Amino acid sequence: MPEFRLYNTLTRRVEPFAPTDGQTVRMYTCGPTVYNAAHLGNFRTFLFEDLLRRAFRLAGWEVEQVMNLTDVDDKIIRKAQANGQHILEVTEPYTELFHKDRRYLRIEDAERYPKATEHIPEMIELVERLVANGVAYVADDGSVYFAIDKFADYGKLSQLDKREVKSGARVAQDEYAKENAQDFALWKAAKPEDESTGAAWDSPWGRGRPGWHLECSAMAMKYLGETFDLHAGGIDLIFPHHEDEIAQSEAATGKQFARCWCHGEFLLTDGAKMAKRVGNVANVVELREQGISGTVYRHFVFNAHYRKQLNLGEDSLEQSRAAVNRIGAFALRLADATGGTPALAEAATRAEKAFLEALFDDLNAPESLAALFTFITEANRELDAGGTDLAALERARAAFRLMDSVLDLVPEQETEAELAAWVEERLAARKAARERRDFAAADAARAELTARGILIEDGPSGTRWRRG
Ligand code: AMP
Ligand code: ZN
């Protein structure tokens, strides 16, 4: 097995990576704020983390992944207040939706999904430790702030000079209460809207609620220990979120918090182009509606290195659809084959090696994919030759299984019933659009059908369809 290497934001270098105990990778990944549907950008980050955990398992380690669900914050409270609801009424349906969307994209279950609102005592305890250590102070209104001047390492992750540090988002509103504008809130004194939406708890400093950064520190340390192997998230979280997590945790324990920090780059959207041709693909629900499978989006994401920006445009999704179809056809062929050639076994061994080398080299999924496609080309050629070597065939199947255990790109065989259901749903959407004289939407629905080879015919008794 090649050595596993990862880029560590803390050191700005690609470094060898292994879990401290040699067995289980303990990793924390910042999860969604559940006040609306996670968008495809969020899911790019969650897919990168899915790739990480699957690659770790291929390296022979077990994985203990914790992903928090942020179920109390300003946006949630605002929404609850506007609807006259309790915050849980806002967050519960979106939590369910998150899991549904994640399964659609074949993102494996993390070992734990702790919720912020279920860990208030742990957070209060952490703030108490920080106050006791003299790195946090209580303001007149009962909010508690972290004093960044008291923590010498502040800024080590984002490598910002302290003087340039801008006060992070999500601090309590009343800035005047702070001793230093850059200090961030650990605990926010309750406001009337917090009380009316169920977002206030008793604490030694009066009624209030936790700051966003605090939840991750408290839950990460509870489930993974004071020092753990890896912490990941999107690149926008480096500052202030992860910088503040480090400050709170290390100032409380005196120990290193996470050993390795991994950050995925952003998904961008080419708005104009996308809106015209694909419709506004922004959420998983739109992927579903347009018949774009989870495997297609997985391929699209993995076809770019996680540390490079990626632009969502129609052409790339179309390419991914073709790529995934090719993988699906190959999977069927491999399953049906009755024998191979010695060269097939050699191609399999070569592919596996190239695949692992790329994957373990800072998760170079695009190169891993290239190794898979080279294998598909070579293997198809060998299968055309019609050999009878059963061991060679088994070797090829094993190599393919290994690669797909990480990529998970074999599309489900769509049944006729599923196709028919999708077509009927799109036809109904087209009909509804026409009835409200939204011809652009009606044309878009028709274009989606045509793109999948469905021909439609409008007649006196309604619309009929068939495969083209
Ligand atoms: P949030 O729900 O806003 O806390 O975000 C959840 C995760 O998605 C975080 O790890 C973010 O860094 C990540 N994220 C947000 N926007 C994007 C984007 N456009 N592309 C990739 N990741 C993103
Ligand atoms: Zn976090």
Side-chain angles (χ1 to χ4, degrees):
M1 283 265 175
E3 182 182 52
F4 205 109
R5 294 161 61 78
L6 275 178
Y7 181 84
N8 185 351
T9 307
L10 204 53
T11 57
R12 300 288 199 271
R13 275 200 305 267
V14 177
E15 298 173 342
F17 174 87
T20 322
D21 68 3
Q23 277 182 13
T24 306
V25 178
R26 303 180 152 264
M27 63 189 266
Y28 188 90
T29 48
C30 294
T33 306
V34 280
Y35 77 108
N36 61 7
H39 57 66
L40 291 181
N42 302 136
F43 279 112
R44 181 188 183 194
T45 295
F46 303 145
L47 280 166
F48 143 63
E49 293 157 353
D50 184 58
L51 189 70
L52 254 182
R53 58 172 286 135
R54 289 173 185 249
F56 287 151
R57 279 217 309 275
L58 208 51
W61 300 315
E62 282 168 40
V63 173
E64 178 73 23
Q65 181 190 359
V66 176
M67 177 177 278
N68 67 300
L69 301 172
T70 299
D71 63 349
V72 53
D73 93 326
D74 293 348
K75 289 174 288 192
I76 296 169
I77 293 166
R78 227 174 287 137
K79 194 160 186 174
Q81 192 190 16
N83 300 345
Q85 289 174 316
H86 189 281
I87 48 168
L88 284 179
E89 290 176 274
V90 172
T91 56
E92 271 171 2
Y94 289 113
T95 300
E96 247 173 68
L97 181 63
F98 165 69
H99 288 300
K100 186 174 165 209
D101 288 351
R102 156 178 94 65
R103 288 192 192 103
Y104 188 74
L105 299 177
R106 303 188 180 182
I107 295 175
E108 287 186 343
D109 294 356
E111 280 58 36
R112 283 176 198 275
Y113 291 98
K115 295 177 181 168
T117 55
E118 291 172 4
H119 295 78
I120 302 293
E122 288 84 348
M123 296 185 225
I124 291 177
E125 203 188 303
L126 184 56
V127 179
E128 285 182 308
R129 274 170 92 179
L130 292 168
V131 173
N133 288 357
V135 290
Y137 58 92
V138 186
D140 291 343
D141 68 342
S143 295
V144 186
Y145 293 95
F146 186 93
I148 63 166
D149 284 345
K150 303 267 167 62
F151 182 65
D153 276 348
Y154 195 79
K156 73 174 171 185
L157 181 70
S158 47
Q159 302 195 348
L160 285 176
D161 185 272
K162 263 195 213 171
R163 282 172 310 245
E164 290 171 16
V165 171
K166 303 236 169 58
S167 70
R170 311 197 194 191
V171 293
Q173 296 304 307
D174 29 341
E175 302 267 331
Y176 64 85
K178 294 190 275 176
E179 290 171 6
N180 177 337
Q182 296 159 5
D183 292 350
F184 59 90
L186 295 164
W187 186 261
K188 304 177 178 191
K191 289 192 248 127
E193 60 268 32
D194 300 342
E195 293 288 359
S196 66
T197 57
W201 290 266
D202 288 324
S203 83
W205 318 282
R207 301 275 293 166
R209 64 181 168 102
W212 173 41
H213 316 307
L214 185 68
E215 82 179 70
C216 287
S217 288
M219 296 194 284
M221 293 198 284
K222 169 164 183 174
Y223 294 111
L224 299 172
E226 292 182 342
T227 300
F228 54 92
D229 296 307
L230 186 143
H231 198 314
I235 194 153
D236 57 325
L237 298 188
I238 295 176
F239 184 84
H241 185 53
H242 289 163
E243 194 69 67
D244 291 352
E245 280 191 44
I246 291 177
Q248 297 160 155
S249 311
E250 300 191 356
T253 66
K255 295 179 195 152
Q256 181 167 28
F257 181 49
R259 293 166 48 238
C260 181
W261 288 83
C262 294
H263 293 98
E265 255 293 355
F266 261 1
L267 175 77
L268 311 176
T269 48
D270 188 350
K273 211 168 167 188
M274 216 179 74
K276 204 163 63 184
R277 310 269 316 262
V278 195
N280 259 330
V281 182
N283 294 328
V284 172
V285 65
E286 279 130 10
L287 291 183
R288 277 176 203 275
E289 280 174 7
Q290 296 177 28
I292 299 168
S293 72
T295 52
V296 170
Y297 191 63
R298 283 182 81 85
H299 178 274
F300 169 69
V301 167
F302 295 159
N303 209 21
H305 191 268
Y306 77 92
R307 287 198 287 122
K308 294 224 169 82
Q309 291 187 337
L310 173 61
N311 195 52
L312 182 65
E314 190 212 14
D315 291 351
S316 33
L317 283 179
E318 277 312 312
Q319 277 169 21
S320 290
R321 196 201 290 277
V324 158
N325 286 343
R326 186 142 183 254
I327 293 171
F330 179 71
L332 288 179
R333 187 168 194 199
L334 210 50
D336 291 346
T338 50
T341 57
L344 176 66
E346 285 159 26
T349 302
R350 254 194 329 271
E352 235 179 54
K353 184 166 178 288
F355 180 91
L356 288 174
E357 271 169 9
L359 189 70
F360 291 0
D361 179 15
D362 193 26
L363 230 53
N364 194 338
E367 270 197 36
S368 294
L369 272 169
L372 170 64
F373 278 99
T374 302
F375 175 57
I376 291 179
T377 305
E378 292 175 353
N380 272 327
R381 199 166 53 220
E382 291 309 315
L383 291 171
D384 288 343
T388 54
D389 185 339
L390 278 180
L393 179 61
E394 277 314 315
R395 187 77 273 287
R397 285 175 176 157
F400 184 70
R401 266 198 308 275
L402 178 142
M403 296 188 263
D404 203 52
S405 74
V406 176
L407 299 171
D408 206 348
L409 292 178
V410 178
E412 269 159 30
Q413 287 302 109
E414 190 173 47
T415 63
E416 281 300 316
E418 282 163 346
L419 177 71
W422 178 79
V423 172
E424 294 300 341
E425 192 276 327
R426 286 292 87 192
L427 286 177
R430 174 169 171 263
K431 185 156 174 274
R434 288 175 137 202
E435 277 163 11
R436 61 173 194 272
R437 307 190 64 78
D438 182 351
F439 298 113
D443 287 347
R446 184 185 189 127
E448 284 170 42
L449 290 158
T450 314
R452 296 189 70 189
I454 305 297
L455 300 179
I456 61 178
E457 220 172 279
D458 295 313
S461 57
T463 303
R464 301 184 343 154
W465 65 273
R466 62 187 165 84
R467 281 176 188 269

